[in-house]
Amino acid sequence: MSIAGIGRAARQSVSGLPREFWWLWTSTLINRMGSFVATFLALYLTLDRGYSASFAGVVAALHGLGGVVSSLGAGVMADRLGRRPTLLIAQVSTAFSVALLGFMQQPVTIAAVAFVAGMAANASRPAVQAMMADIVPAGDRVRAFSLNYWAINVGFAFSSLVAGLIAEHSYLIGFLGEGVLTLVCAVLVFLKLPESRPEPVAGAGAEATAESAVSMGTVLRDRRYMGVVGLSFLMAFIFMQHTVALPVAMGADGFSPGEYGTVIAVNGVLIVAVQIPVTRLIEHRDPRWLLTISALLTGYGFGLTAFAGSIGVYMLTVVVWTLAEIINSPTQMGLIVRLSPAQGRGRYQGMYTMSWSVAALTAPLVGGTVIDHWGADALWGICAVVGTVAAAGYWFLMRSLPEESPAADPADGAQTAAPKAAGADAAATGTTAAVPGRPEAEPASA
């Protein structure tokens, strides 16, 4: 492809998305550039503080338990209080709790503050995902989720390399740095992002009334959706092994924190390099095939870690499961929004987020315990089995997935109801806000 062709493809990938999306994207990028605690917590506890892999797993699990507690509550807050207030509360709380964690000395206080930090950090996710679904039209959502995921991994690649070097000198600097950058995100949300929560349209009839009555019971009774949530948990259980099991296993093999940072940075660098072009290939393809293939690649990508004995082989395994991640993330996020009613997006996203939070709770416990008792190779074999089960689950669950109808997309109603809220928030913050859902650039080509 010529340089002109590459430039044209790049413009098509980013054009036509609302201005609010790009502020949310920028906030995500800054936040991930400062991500330190989740990536290096296990190494901090085992190498710097001298605790066992089991204790590191318990602390990481408590960090995940905090996320479980906050997931559903934050989803309800996003629907009732609004996306923007939920984001502000979550980000300010995260900034102070992660900074405090760096000063904790005793095992009990480390565990307690890790729980609070996990609860605060996870509270922003349902609001971010619901806001993105509110402001981006249905036909552009897979592309928007892909671009946001791309930002996550640009920041992750940067933080993995830099934080790995920082960790070799002072872990405290990493904790404080994450706190400062998270506060920057909160300021950005306060100044630039209007509220996007859709309001019921007056006179819309019984259908709008039924949708506005969405509760957590509605979510739990949605069998197809809960099946997707269960499969998401299995995928997250495998992916989360890179936060505790992989660094602990590499540390036991004699590799340094900097070498782990280099290996895990391959994940972010590869996503930065190929996420957008891959998304252009998959965004209109059958999600059943995409999710099935991604589950197999995830399970066997981590399974191959059993044969890793050098930095090069570890990098190769990361490449395999990263390709799975590139396919799975935007496809699954698009599916989650497709199955969620507009007035209940916060609750539905909260339930989806909880699947990752429960995985963040159980994966470190299982990973640390298996490594301590049976060795890392047994854990990588379990990952391969779980990936196979998830692939079969996606294949059978999505056999009769209904066709999406962009013309009847619930977001259309949100876009017509949003101007009043956007204008009110803009007046309060002193900014000029665009109407959520209205592209500020030329619409993307079909």
Side-chain angles (χ1 to χ4, degrees), residues 56-400:
V58 169
V59 173
L62 286 171
H63 189 271
L65 178 61
V68 173
V69 172
S70 67
S71 294
L72 299 182
V76 174
M77 283 178 60
D79 281 340
R80 290 186 176 179
L81 187 62
R83 307 348 182 181
R84 184 171 176 265
T86 304
L87 268 176
L88 287 170
I89 293 169
Q91 290 177 337
V92 172
S93 301
T94 300
F96 284 101
S97 59
V98 297
L100 181 63
L101 183 58
F103 292 98
M104 295 299 98
Q105 300 294 322
Q106 300 301 318
V108 174
T109 57
I110 290 173
V113 177
F115 171 79
V116 174
M119 186 166 59
N122 209 57
S124 64
R125 293 177 184 174
V128 169
Q129 293 160 359
M131 179 176 279
M132 197 168 299
D134 294 339
I135 64 181
V136 177
D140 293 328
R141 282 183 190 142
V142 170
R143 180 163 59 99
F145 284 125
S146 179
L147 287 167
N148 193 65
Y149 201 65
W150 186 79
I152 288 173
N153 286 278
V154 169
F156 181 70
F158 174 86
S159 68
S160 295
L161 290 171
V162 174
L165 298 175
I166 291 174
E168 293 183 352
H169 296 88
S170 171
Y171 281 92
L172 179 60
I173 294 175
F175 286 104
L176 295 177
E178 178 168 347
V180 169
L181 288 178
T182 307
L183 274 181
V184 171
C185 293
V187 172
L188 187 62
V189 168
F190 178 77
L191 294 177
K192 294 296 184 180
L193 284 173
E195 179 56 59
S196 69
R197 180 182 57 178
E199 300 294 341
V201 180
E207 184 177 345
T209 301
E211 188 172 269
S212 65
V214 173
S215 66
M216 288 309 304
T218 308
V219 182
L220 292 171
R221 290 190 297 271
D222 190 334
R223 290 183 294 178
R224 184 191 297 275
Y225 185 82
M226 291 305 298
V228 172
V229 168
L231 294 173
S232 170
F233 164 75
L234 295 182
M235 295 293 291
F237 175 86
I238 304 173
F239 280 127
M240 291 301 295
Q241 300 303 331
H242 84 272
T243 64
V244 174
L246 184 59
V248 167
M250 290 186 66
D253 286 343
F255 295 103
S256 70
E259 288 171 318
Y260 165 69
T262 300
V263 167
I264 202 62
V266 171
N267 172 257
V269 170
L270 187 60
I271 290 175
V272 170
V274 305
Q275 177 79 67
I276 294 175
V278 168
T279 299
R280 288 179 60 81
L281 294 174
I282 69 173
E283 63 178 326
H284 299 301
R285 298 186 184 275
D286 187 351
R288 181 188 184 191
W289 279 101
L290 296 175
L291 292 172
T292 299
I293 292 170
S294 69
L296 291 173
L297 287 174
T298 302
Y300 288 98
F302 275 90
L304 287 172
T305 311
F307 303 98
S310 66
I311 292 294
V313 179
Y314 274 114
M315 287 182 173
L316 178 61
T317 66
V318 173
V319 168
V320 175
W321 58 260
T322 297
L323 291 174
E325 191 177 0
I326 288 169
I327 297 170
N328 181 272
S329 179
T331 305
Q332 183 154 267
M333 285 302 304
L335 177 62
I336 291 295
V337 174
R338 183 172 170 180
L339 297 176
S340 307
Q343 301 299 329
R345 280 182 183 141
R347 290 173 172 84
Y348 271 71
Q349 292 290 351
M351 182 62 72
Y352 169 68
T353 300
M354 193 184 72
S355 69
W356 282 81
S357 301
V358 173
L361 168 65
T362 57
L365 288 174
V366 174
T369 301
V370 170
I371 288 175
D372 280 347
H373 291 84
W374 297 285
D377 289 355
L379 178 63
W380 308 134
I382 291 172
C383 288
V385 172
V386 173
T388 303
V389 171
Y394 280 123
W395 183 257
F396 287 105
L397 184 67
M398 298 177 64
R399 285 178 297 175
S400 57

Side-chain angles (χ1 to χ4, degrees), residues 406-422:
D409 187 320
D412 294 339
Q415 292 167 25
T416 60
K420 181 177 179 180

